[in-house]
Amino acid sequence: MHLNREVNSALISALRNDLRAARFTVDRLDALWGAQAASALFRGQRVPALRELARRESVAHAADTQPEAAAALAMLFMFGMEQSRDAVAAALPTLGIDGGVELALIAADGDLVRPLIDLRPYDFTDTRGGGHWWIASDLGEASSRAALRPDHVLGVGGASMTLTGLMLTELVDTVLDLGTGCGIQAMHASRHARRVVATDISERALWFAALNVRLNEIDGIDLRLGSLFDPVSTDVFDHIVSNPPFVITPRSEGVPAYEYRDGGMVGDALVAEVIRGVAAHLAPGGIAQLLGNWEYRKGEDGLDRVRGWLDGAAAFAGVGLDAWVIEREVQDVANYAETWIRDGGTKPGTPGFDRLYAAWLDDFGVRGVTQIGFGYILVRKSADGVARLQRIERLHAPLGNNAAGLGEHLASALAAHDWQAALSDESLGLAALAVAGDVTEERHYWPGDEDPTVITLRQGGGFGRTVEAGTALAALVGACDGELSIRAICAALAQLLEVDEGALTAELLPSIRELVSTGILLTPAAQQTAASLAKVRL
């Protein structure tokens, strides 16, 4: 069903004007509490910021003035601290106390005002430039000082930021945000799509999404209530993004289920279900991107499970599916259980924690689960029904220097893969490639030796890949300057190394294809893009 929820536009407009007038921005708040406190907040520690705001409040009271509006709003909405009616009225002069109560942002109790939601500024940069929004969600446990409600709506957390950074931003007609939560992915998608459909099983989540969309004056987002793909029926989309509720949760009595993280299925079945759904709801050439967990069971590799889901989805939908799966982390079952029990607000060392811990381990034991993998899944529906890419890999090392720009890196990597896959070995040999600007080479020698024992190519951006290269491959990469063809470089190397040119070329071409697909070697088109960006920066 479509969600048509009346939100008082006049009150939303008043709130927006007050937030602007208060300079309730990331930059202003960082200036208020300083760089050290800002760094602590990034790590999830709020004490330094609270101490500085309290100091400023004390100074204001000593001078018989109201605290700065941005500080009062931060204390109220970001840290869940009650504020005086006068301070809130001064910070929200257009909306007023009554307007805030009507919007369900605050509750007024005598001379004090307490927050009902979390509201904070949010800055971002994407391929279309930078932007500033405000994002509303439920108060966290630290602010509300209460256990999370089952329909708790999360704000912009680590997983949300990961998916936002991965999101491809090529202009498309339609995007589906599956499980939108507070609406952050749909809002980002609106910057590269004519129309966005955002779904969620939670009415509360869609209320927050509607508030955020209207507060930030974003058009073209259609909010729909329902489970998984039910609200979109037979619709197809050019791009699907999803941070689904993939956390593996025991289906045992007494284990709390939170809508933002728990899809209500056994084990990792929800991610498999999402993959099967995107196969049916992607337009030809369309791409889906999602985060997920997968189980490692005794005798079964977790990534083999994901491969099976992809194969099954393609067969079920009768389509060709390209796929790129990147596992970023693996946790043992005990560590995984501890992480998500704490996330729900249950403290270690309590009887409740031990009871939930046992339930999690029992659940994993039934299926023989030993570890849980986490990572990124990209699926593309082949335009001609033939799948040409199935890249399933483990990249557990730290990301490159520009982790926030992974979406741009993924887009160029997909284009590079398609370019090289379409070329015969003979045609690839005629191409002139260039080393990417973020690639460095490391050489390690045994003391006294003239020749290196190990040569490593290291990618500074993207996924921060490292590639061990033999002497011939390292020399070829070093000679790739965008002018010489691969064939010409191989001919020169064969002469220098006194080996057969044809055999050397045949040996190196598979590695060249891999280096192109991972962005270590740039295609002619990628070289032009890099040159254009360099001119813009100058």
Side-chain angles (χ1 to χ4, degrees), residues 171-188:
L171 291 172
V172 295
D173 188 52
T174 56
V175 174
L176 170 64
D177 176 16
L178 188 76
T180 192
C182 70
I184 188 63
Q185 305 302 335
M187 293 164 67
H188 277 288

Side-chain angles (χ1 to χ4, degrees), residues 225-381:
L225 179 67
S227 177
L228 294 178
F229 294 92
D230 289 348
V232 294
S233 184
T234 57
D235 296 347
V236 295
F237 300 88
D238 302 309
H239 193 187
I240 298 174
V241 294
S242 183
N243 177 18
F246 57 74
V247 175
I248 298 168
T249 306
R251 307 264 70 88
S252 308
E253 184 177 351
V255 176
Y258 301 105
E259 288 179 342
Y260 75 90
R261 72 181 204 188
D262 175 23
M265 298 186 183
V266 174
D268 53 15
L270 182 115
V271 179
E273 189 69 19
V274 172
I275 290 174
R276 187 165 77 161
V278 301
H281 289 276
L282 282 174
I287 291 175
Q289 295 179 271
L290 61 140
L291 307 181
N293 275 168
W294 37 86
E295 296 181 339
Y296 281 73
R297 300 178 179 178
K298 290 177 181 177
E300 183 181 21
D301 187 288
L303 288 180
D304 286 342
R305 289 180 60 75
V306 180
R307 185 178 285 107
W309 297 341
L310 292 163
D311 292 343
F316 177 80
V319 299
L321 289 183
D322 291 331
W324 190 353
V325 180
I326 298 173
E327 182 179 81
R328 293 291 299 140
E329 180 184 3
V330 172
Q331 285 187 319
D332 63 59
V333 292
N335 200 344
Y336 187 87
E338 292 165 18
T339 297
W340 292 108
I341 297 169
R342 285 195 304 267
D343 179 79
T346 304
K347 302 290 191 257
T350 63
F353 188 94
D354 292 346
R355 177 181 58 79
L356 291 175
Y357 207 162
W360 243 277
L361 296 183
D362 287 345
D363 180 62
F364 287 135
V366 167
R367 296 187 301 281
V369 179
T370 58
Q371 293 179 304
I372 307 296
F374 165 80
Y376 322 144
I377 300 172
L378 183 150
V379 177
R380 181 173 60 180
K381 186 173 183 178

Side-chain angles (χ1 to χ4, degrees), residues 208-226:
F208 275 111
L211 174 62
N212 289 325
V213 165
R214 294 171 194 183
L215 179 60
N216 294 289
E217 301 181 283
I218 298 172
D219 296 323
I221 297 181
D222 176 6
L223 300 173
R224 301 186 188 180
L225 179 67

Side-chain angles (χ1 to χ4, degrees), residues 292-525:
N293 275 168
W294 37 86
E295 296 181 339
Y296 281 73
R297 300 178 179 178
K298 290 177 181 177
E300 183 181 21
D301 187 288
L303 288 180
D304 286 342
R305 289 180 60 75
V306 180
R307 185 178 285 107
W309 297 341
L310 292 163
D311 292 343
F316 177 80
V319 299
L321 289 183
D322 291 331
W324 190 353
V325 180
I326 298 173
E327 182 179 81
R328 293 291 299 140
E329 180 184 3
V330 172
Q331 285 187 319
D332 63 59
V333 292
N335 200 344
Y336 187 87
E338 292 165 18
T339 297
W340 292 108
I341 297 169
R342 285 195 304 267
D343 179 79
T346 304
K347 302 290 191 257
T350 63
F353 188 94
D354 292 346
R355 177 181 58 79
L356 291 175
Y357 207 162
W360 243 277
L361 296 183
D362 287 345
D363 180 62
F364 287 135
V366 167
R367 296 187 301 281
V369 179
T370 58
Q371 293 179 304
I372 307 296
F374 165 80
Y376 322 144
I377 300 172
L378 183 150
V379 177
R380 181 173 60 180
K381 186 173 183 178
S382 172
D384 61 4
V386 179
R388 295 178 176 84
L389 169 65
Q390 190 170 83
R391 187 180 187 97
I392 299 179
E393 57 185 334
R394 293 179 173 90
L395 292 175
H396 295 178
L399 295 173
N401 297 328
N402 188 26
L406 280 178
E408 190 174 355
H409 174 75
L410 275 174
S412 62
L414 282 174
H417 168 271
D418 294 345
W419 177 83
Q420 63 82 17
L423 295 179
S424 66
D425 284 350
E426 182 178 356
S427 297
L428 181 60
L430 298 175
L433 306 176
V435 186
D438 64 343
V439 175
T440 56
E441 180 184 280
E442 298 175 359
R443 293 185 175 228
H444 300 268
Y445 297 80
W446 288 113
D449 282 3
E450 293 185 1
D451 298 323
T453 55
V454 178
I455 303 174
T456 302
L457 303 175
R458 188 174 299 277
Q459 188 178 49
F463 289 104
R465 297 176 184 274
T466 58
V467 178
E468 288 195 12
T471 302
L473 181 60
L476 182 144
V477 170
C480 284
D481 58 0
E483 300 292 336
L484 293 171
S485 70
I486 295 299
R487 177 186 289 179
I489 296 172
C490 286
L493 284 176
Q495 186 174 7
L496 180 66
L497 299 173
E498 298 180 345
V499 297
D500 179 75
E501 178 185 341
L504 179 65
T505 302
E507 175 188 339
L508 293 178
L509 279 175
S511 296
I512 293 169
R513 291 184 183 276
E514 171 69 4
L515 295 179
V516 168
S517 295
T518 55
I520 291 175
L521 289 177
L522 300 181
T523 68

